[in-house]
Amino acid sequence: MSNLELSPVLEPDTVLCCPPITSAELSAEDSVRMAAMFKALSDPVRLRLFSKIASHAGGEACVCDIQDVGVSQPTVSHHLKKLREAGLLTSERRGTWVYYKVAPSVVAGMAALLDLPR
């Protein structure tokens, strides 16, 4: 296994150890995983949804609270699905609503990867 442990399916308490990009070359596998995450965030609507969830009180948001991003509800669902598939969000159905959380260990891994020496 490589130095960069990233998986789309993570336990909530998983802590990733992710060396800065300047410390070692990424493996082919790790670069594919990281690219999928950055690609998911490269869409303006997805980035906005991700931001709404990350900044929402309690660190989670009901889809009913974040769907006002200028696109239709089915398009919001599509973008949320892409963010989940990339491992950036987790979701939980509660009654008729779905609540989303940012996967903190994955975001910490992305941030650590981009940590450059000063």
Side-chain angles (χ1 to χ4, degrees):
M1 188 89 13
S2 69
N3 291 339
L4 181 61
E5 289 292 323
L6 292 178
S7 171
V9 181
L10 295 171
E11 297 300 330
D13 295 331
T14 300
V15 176
L16 299 174
C17 179
C18 187
I21 200 162
T22 57
S23 69
E25 183 179 323
L26 285 175
S27 70
E29 181 181 319
D30 291 338
S31 63
V32 168
R33 288 180 187 159
M34 293 304 294
M37 291 180 205
F38 286 113
K39 182 178 179 181
L41 288 174
S42 70
D43 181 278
V45 172
R46 288 184 203 149
L47 186 56
R48 192 156 173 226
L49 286 167
F50 188 79
S51 172
K52 282 177 161 274
I53 294 165
S55 64
H56 204 269
E60 72 174 2
C62 173
V63 70
C64 60
D65 294 328
I66 59 170
Q67 61 188 3
D68 60 338
V69 290
V71 296
S72 68
Q73 188 280 324
T75 302
V76 168
S77 293
H78 166 76
H79 287 303
L80 289 169
K81 178 182 175 187
K82 292 295 185 183
L83 290 167
R84 278 193 333 269
E85 288 173 347
L88 296 167
L89 296 179
T90 61
S91 63
E92 179 184 344
R93 180 169 293 281
R94 297 182 198 156
T96 58
W97 295 108
V98 178
Y99 287 78
Y100 292 90
K101 282 186 179 182
V102 169
S105 58
V106 173
V107 174
M110 292 173 75
L113 178 74
L114 296 176
D115 188 26
L116 299 174
R118 294 169 207 239

